[in-house]
Amino acid sequence: MYIVITILAALILFALPGLLLAIPLRRHGYSLFLCIGLALAGWVVVFSLLAAVANYHLPLFLALHIVLAFALAVWAWREREGARDLWNAARRVPLWQWLMYTALAIFFVAPAFVIPVPLDTDAQGFGLIALTIRLSGSITTLAPFHAEIGFLYSPAYFLIVAFLSDLTGAPIHQVMLGFSHLAAFGVTLAVFELGRETGDETTGHFAALSIAMGLGLFTTLMDSAYTNIFGIGLTATFLTLLFRAARNSDPFTFRVSRTTFQLPHSIPFAALALAALPLAHPDSIIHLLLAYLPFNAAIWLTRPRPTLRQFAVIGVVIPMLAVALTLPWVARVYPLVSGVHVREHLFADWSYFAVLIRFHGWPILLLGAFGIGLALRRRSLSDIWMLTWLVPIVEFGMDGSLDRLALKIGYDPFQIMYPYGIVWHAAILPLAFFAALALSSVARWAAQRPFGAMLARLRAPIFASVIALGLAVTALNRPIIDATKGRFQFTGAYSTPADVQAMEWLKANAPPDALVLNYPNYESHWVPVISERNAVYFRPQLFYIGDDAARQMWNRLVSAYLDPAAPESGAVMRTYGVDFVIVPQIVTRPDLFPQMLRWRRPDLPPQKSSFDDAGYLEIVADFEGAQVWRLKTGN
């Protein structure tokens, strides 16, 4: 139920302002979906900067949100003829398009209703940051749990999750499920707009289909790389506005008294969307810069050649405006930069080509190759952008020549690169772009053949069948999950519904200042997020600053957890102020593994003694093996 509430709240908070914005911008050629993306980018910039200056406070955020929504409503009312145009446009949408996007919505949103917690490990860390922001307001520390630990990361996704959790009362992990899966569907709409801007409406529809068919976005979603999802959607919105700004300088025209003013809008809108990227996801701005820099050198290969105005707009004006918009946040986090120490250097490798195959699939790669050939022949502005994007993806993801050269000369600017993620995540948009180019070319060819009309009539029945299949798979997911076990090499959900019940018991019964000793690896990193209590072990991150004391505590308490009956274990727990111990179901009931939403058995260290044999502990809750123990007082 909380997931439904979260989705509805997200639509009201972010889609409704986009609708209000679309009404006055309709006459300037801005569509509803593009305005939703623009409104979300504006929210990211405004509220991230507000948090940089004043931290997160629900009353402040809610008041500003209401003021901005009211201003948009007033503007929409004054330009209300645009609402009639939007309504008429919606009525003209053919049935097959409604069915196609409904099928895409089911594809991306339905899994949120099946899994007990976000899969794999990324969301464990994201959830902790969102929770600490909600509890303390700080966007740079893990207060109130670990005020001594700072972090340097883009704040927008966590602010949205904290805001939605505060407004709805939904637990953090369910807010992340609802909002992130909705955002993944939103990416398909953003990519539709990108395809339509760089081609036509047919290209847009094929772009939306391609980003789902390619599986790169879906596997990113199921890996719980939620900030990547957020960043990919904002990147698509920015590129749409960038290409629009390059071709169009249509200004707003308004009158004050008897004087007429003109204000260009496509340029500041593109700058706003670009500024949102570093505030939303650091990897996404890195991935975008990998394309932006070589594109400025290759822009003269486009046909027709760009004007100096286009070059200045793309390469100078928009980036400078975007940088200016992010300065308050940069000023807030700049003192933290020197404290970040990347603990490992990851190297590009040609073996990562297997990542393209595994996470994107052969179909999208073959279609993308066909689309690359068409782009090389056409060489539009967007074609050159996407083509130059492939070069750094190959270099920094698989080849690594520049990285090796930098290391030889003693300079290491590429240590922040994540080659595995570049091949997986940075390739999502270019592959969808080129696949859409190929499919739209085939569609135009097929439309001129005798069977073209028949294919057009089949679109609605095909998508209706896909919807029925998607709903059936969602309802009957268990047999499908069981059939896939052993076939895929990923972990799944680290916590079971019984584990969630144990954590919720802690949330309801443990004192707010209690310290929980949880399992010493990923099996229990959901504990602080769901119980909303301080826990010994939490998801480590490369961007944490000052976590040495926490890591020392981790090392001291490992043996106490794995051998609780040892004479010194109770004393060590009391030294650190442990109040409760939580035991995951996989430890006490490994026989239930076939029922768990997991595809791979964990490699757990041996439990040397039982908690039953620890006289200083008493069991206070047991949910089918997911146990909560309390340290007795006076011992």
Side-chain angles (χ1 to χ4, degrees):
M1 188 63 182
Y2 276 127
I3 293 175
V4 174
I5 294 172
T6 296
I7 290 173
L8 292 176
L11 290 173
I12 293 171
L13 287 173
F14 305 117
L16 182 58
L19 173 62
L20 295 174
L21 187 62
I23 291 173
L25 292 183
R26 178 72 180 174
R27 63 189 179 92
H28 296 280
Y30 287 81
S31 67
L32 172 61
F33 297 152
L34 183 57
C35 287
I36 291 174
L38 180 59
L40 181 59
W43 195 100
V44 166
V45 172
V46 171
F47 286 85
S48 294
L49 300 188
L50 176 63
V53 174
N55 285 337
Y56 168 77
H57 299 284
L58 175 62
L60 180 62
F61 269 51
L62 185 58
L64 181 58
H65 191 97
I66 292 172
V67 168
L68 294 177
F70 180 76
L72 287 175
V74 171
W75 189 19
W77 174 254
R78 291 180 176 178
E79 302 279 348
R80 54 188 175 274
E81 64 274 8
R84 188 179 302 108
D85 292 340
L86 279 174
W87 173 248
N88 291 333
R91 293 176 62 185
R92 291 193 297 269
V93 173
L95 175 63
W96 71 265
Q97 291 182 21
W98 288 107
L99 294 173
M100 185 186 88
Y101 287 98
T102 300
L104 289 173
I106 292 172
F107 180 68
F108 286 106
V109 176
F113 296 92
V114 174
I115 57 182
V117 294
L119 305 184
D120 213 78
T121 64
D122 283 350
Q124 296 172 327
F126 299 155
L128 178 62
I129 295 174
L131 175 65
T132 57
I133 287 177
R134 197 195 78 191
L135 294 177
S136 72
S138 173
I139 63 169
T140 56
T141 72
L142 294 184
F145 298 150
H146 295 278
E148 78 282 3
I149 298 178
F151 67 87
L152 176 56
Y153 201 88
S154 308
Y157 176 82
F158 312 122
L159 289 170
I160 288 176
V161 172
F163 191 40
L164 286 170
S165 179
D166 259 339
L167 289 176
T168 63
I172 290 289
H173 69 290
Q174 295 205 37
V175 171
M176 288 196 297
L177 279 171
F179 175 73
S180 303
H181 283 255
L182 178 65
F185 170 63
V187 173
T188 67
L189 303 181
V191 170
F192 161 74
E193 291 294 344
L194 177 60
R196 184 164 69 168
E197 173 64 33
T198 57
D200 53 21
E201 188 162 322
T202 298
T203 307
H205 294 313
F206 278 120
L209 283 174
S210 296
I211 205 163
M213 180 180 61
L215 295 181
L217 182 67
F218 184 75
T219 53
T220 299
L221 176 66
M222 299 311 291
D223 188 54
S224 299
Y226 293 153
T227 51
N228 266 293
I229 298 292
F230 198 40
I232 291 168
L234 289 172
T235 300
T237 297
F238 162 67
L239 290 176
T240 303
L241 292 166
L242 176 72
F243 298 140
R244 183 184 180 92
R247 69 167 175 83
N248 182 19
S249 58
D250 178 32
F252 287 126
T253 301
F254 58 96
R255 293 177 62 87
V256 176
S257 185
R258 296 183 179 181
T259 306
T260 300
F261 294 89
Q262 288 189 332
L263 177 68
H265 51 78
S266 54
I267 293 174
F269 284 169
L272 182 71
L274 179 57
L277 265 182
L279 300 171
H281 185 224
D283 287 11
S284 289
I285 191 64
I286 292 172
H287 297 166
L288 186 75
L289 290 175
L290 291 180
Y292 221 129
L293 298 177
F295 171 74
N296 282 329
I299 190 173
W300 308 108
L301 298 175
T302 60
R303 294 192 302 197
R305 288 196 173 185
T307 63
L308 286 177
R309 174 199 169 275
Q310 288 176 312
F311 180 78
V313 165
I314 293 173
V316 180
V317 177
I318 290 175
M320 289 183 65
L321 288 174
V323 168
L325 287 172
T326 62
L327 285 179
W329 176 72
V330 171
R332 171 71 184 271
V333 302
Y334 182 75
L336 300 174
V337 174
S338 60
V340 176
H341 300 289
V342 179
R343 298 176 184 268
E344 55 183 333
H345 187 116
L346 302 174
F347 294 93
D349 196 291
W350 281 104
S351 65
Y352 287 156
F353 184 77
V355 174
L356 279 176
I357 301 171
R358 186 186 317 145
F359 293 122
H360 295 274
W362 276 112
I364 197 75
L365 295 177
L366 295 175
L367 286 170
F370 182 25
I372 288 172
L374 295 174
L376 285 169
R377 187 173 67 176
R378 189 176 67 172
R379 299 213 309 270
S380 69
L381 197 69
S382 56
D383 294 334
I384 296 299
W385 176 283
M386 294 297 179
L387 288 168
T388 54
W389 205 348
L390 294 179
V391 176
I393 289 174
V394 172
E395 163 57 30
F396 294 105
M398 290 181 276
D399 185 63
S401 295
L402 289 177
D403 191 10
R404 290 191 295 271
L405 177 63
L407 290 174
K408 284 182 179 179
I409 63 177
Y411 184 58
D412 190 14
F414 304 120
Q415 63 177 333
I416 62 172
M417 297 292 186
Y418 179 36
Y420 193 89
I422 289 173
V423 174
W424 185 357
H425 304 131
I428 290 174
L429 285 179
L431 285 176
F433 175 88
F434 291 122
L437 192 59
L439 289 171
S440 60
S441 177
V442 172
R444 283 191 292 271
W445 172 84
Q448 298 172 358
R449 299 298 182 272
F451 54 82
M454 180 191 68
L455 291 176
R457 288 193 298 271
L458 288 175
R459 290 177 298 190
I462 289 173
F463 288 121
S465 301
V466 172
I467 290 173
L469 178 63
L471 294 174
V473 167
T474 304
L476 305 173
N477 62 84
R478 193 72 237 182
I480 296 172
I481 291 171
D482 292 340
T484 59
K485 288 191 175 183
R487 298 177 181 270
F488 300 109
Q489 293 302 308
F490 58 88
T491 301
Y494 274 98
S495 293
T496 66
D499 291 325
V500 173
Q501 285 182 285
M503 296 178 229
E504 290 174 341
W505 186 95
L506 283 168
K507 180 180 178 180
N509 295 280
D513 60 348
L515 177 63
V516 181
L517 175 58
N518 47 339
Y519 198 80
N521 70 8
Y522 295 109
E523 296 298 330
S524 278
H525 286 169
W526 277 114
V527 170
V529 181
I530 297 176
S531 71
E532 300 188 7
R533 297 296 183 270
N534 192 10
V536 171
Y537 296 98
F538 51 91
R539 172 76 153 84
Q541 302 280 14
L542 294 175
F543 50 81
Y544 283 166
I545 303 166
D547 60 352
D548 293 338
R551 290 178 180 271
Q552 291 175 6
M553 179 174 62
W554 297 349
N555 294 332
R556 288 288 310 277
L557 285 168
V558 168
S559 58
Y561 193 101
L562 297 178
D563 192 6
E568 67 278 6
S569 294
V572 173
M573 291 187 195
R574 295 185 193 282
T575 298
Y576 283 99
V578 172
D579 298 293
F580 293 89
V581 179
I582 188 168
V583 186
Q585 189 180 45
I586 191 69
V587 172
T588 62
R589 296 291 306 275
D591 58 299
L592 295 180
F593 178 80
Q595 302 176 24
M596 299 177 184
L597 195 67
R598 301 180 73 144
W599 283 260
R600 185 173 59 192
R601 284 188 178 273
D603 184 17
L604 301 178
Q607 193 74 30
K608 296 179 181 180
S609 61
S610 171
F611 291 94
D612 293 307
D613 298 328
Y616 57 91
L617 293 174
E618 59 179 348
I619 191 166
V620 291
D622 189 332
F623 302 93
E624 294 186 88
Q627 300 173 346
V628 180
W629 297 77
R630 180 167 52 203
L631 270 72
K632 297 177 182 178
T633 58
N635 290 321

